Amino acid sequence: MGFNTSLSGINAANADLNVTSNNIANVNTTGFKESRAEFADMFQSTAYGLSRNAVGSGVRVSNVAQQFSQGNIDPTGRSLDLAISGEGFFTMSQNGERLYTRAGNFQTDANGYVVNPEGARLQVYAPNTNGNGFDVGRLTDLQLLTTDAPPKQTTTVNLGFTLPGNASQPTVATFDPADSNSYNYSTGGINVYDSLGVSHTQTSYFVKTANANEWQVYNYVDGASVGTPTTLQFSDSGALTSPADGMIALDPYTPSTGAGVLSMSLNLSGATQYGESFALRDTRQDGYASGKLNEISIDATGVVFARYSNGADKPLGQVALTTFTNPQGLSQQGSTMWAESYASGSPRTGAPGSSDFGQIESGSLESSTVDLTEQLVNMIVAQRNFQANAQMISTQDQVTQTVINIR
């Protein structure tokens, strides 16, 4: 019996060495979580239980426990390298099987799907069809778009300006956009876009009237008038009072490009009148031409954006993270991936930064949690345990030989 007890100690020490060896081998494996060998003593029991003077029967490996602690986050500068700062796993799909990983070294396959080195596809929440938010009830494969961004027709032009309070009427009474003496100031031309993404020039001309605090604004697109002049009135403190909401609806303009009718409104709510000089402060408009894909970026909440040369950002999805009640109960699948098991509990999926889910750090990877110094110390301890149990077998052999040699 003593031989078996010492043999169980040798087996346990050997298992400890194997676990330590595996940890050391994965010291540079992205997203790897170190393991720890856990042991339990053994007693031989009878139908009447253990007696007070019972001697143990050795040791057994009770568990090889994974340690799901946070690894260091190392910057890489590559946008598809992702790390999780906090709780959760990346949710993956491989041939219909749902897997989970902390390794965010992703890339794209031939079809533009974001995959890990084993080909499992990263799961995201799909954007809602109305463009607002994401469908948190539906997971889908993340596929990066490589097509051009479609244009967007201009609907609103924001004009922020200050007209001088001491302005005089123009020297030429009849307005003519070709004659600078027939108006006081102009916006100089603002690029707006039709439904095909072709740019047109929208220009507003300001003419001081004979009445105090009153102006007229003439609006043109590509040199063609788009409505009758609109009267602007200001209070004695310089605030715009008419039109009351600051909005001017321009007449529809039909481009010669074959695009649809261009219907726009001017937002003059930020206009003022004071001082002695004209100042144009805001010329924003909400349209843009078609654009080429510049980059893919991912923010801390896991939203994946395609950014285009025209300034448009298109959300492609939101990275889905998954947590478990007992991560140590997950079933190891290799390649730093795990699968759900009965011991792990049911998966709970959510968006990064919500509830107890961690945040996404793009351009970074989570390193292995293996502490090499600690593992080398564990190796020495396991080696000593192995040697001590081997010495016990040698000692018991000597005792046995002595008994056998008794005459």
Side-chain angles (χ1 to χ4, degrees), residues 97-233:
E97 181 183 9
R98 192 58 52 84
L99 298 173
Y100 308 94
T101 184
R102 292 282 295 193
N105 49 330
F106 299 119
Q107 58 198 27
T108 55
D109 64 12
N111 297 314
Y113 289 101
V114 176
V115 297
N116 66 5
E118 285 66 48
R121 294 179 177 179
L122 179 64
Q123 300 298 287
V124 296
Y125 292 121
N128 288 324
T129 54
N130 61 10
N132 297 321
F134 300 90
D135 184 357
V136 296
R138 179 169 63 95
L139 291 179
T140 186
D141 302 332
L142 174 60
Q143 185 177 26
L144 302 186
L145 300 178
T146 57
T147 57
D148 293 349
K152 180 178 183 295
Q153 178 175 304
T154 299
T155 58
T156 303
V157 178
N158 294 282
L159 288 182
F161 54 85
T162 298
L163 297 169
N166 62 347
S168 302
Q169 290 180 266
T171 56
V172 176
T174 302
F175 171 74
D176 181 358
D179 185 356
S180 60
N181 292 319
S182 66
Y183 58 88
N184 297 80
Y185 309 101
S186 78
T187 56
I190 299 169
N191 286 334
V192 295
Y193 299 91
D194 61 25
S195 60
L196 297 179
V198 179
S199 66
H200 304 272
T201 302
Q202 185 277 324
T203 308
S204 296
Y205 299 90
F206 303 99
V207 178
K208 182 69 177 71
T209 69
N211 300 322
N213 301 323
E214 185 179 89
W215 296 72
Q216 284 190 321
V217 57
Y218 295 78
N219 294 293
Y220 284 71
V221 174
D222 289 345
S225 176
V226 285
T228 57
T230 301
T231 300
L232 306 181
Q233 292 181 331

Side-chain angles (χ1 to χ4, degrees), residues 57-82:
S57 304
V59 65
R60 63 181 177 86
V61 179
S62 62
N63 189 28
V64 178
Q66 301 168 90
Q67 308 300 301
F68 285 96
S69 57
Q70 175 74 54
N72 292 330
I73 295 179
D74 302 323
T76 65
R78 182 174 172 273
S79 60
L80 284 183
D81 283 342
L82 305 180

Side-chain angles (χ1 to χ4, degrees), residues 19-20 23-24 34 370-379:
V19 171
T20 301
N23 287 339
I24 293 175
E34 70 169 318
V370 175
D371 184 330
L372 187 56
T373 301
E374 179 185 359
Q375 296 304 313
L376 292 175
V377 172
N378 290 344
M379 180 184 66

Side-chain angles (χ1 to χ4, degrees), residues 85-88 125 301 318 321-323 348-359:
S85 178
E87 298 296 321
Y125 292 121
T301 62
Q318 185 176 29
L321 297 184
T322 301
T323 61
R348 181 168 58 86
T349 304
S354 65
S355 185
D356 57 343
F357 293 100
Q359 292 187 322

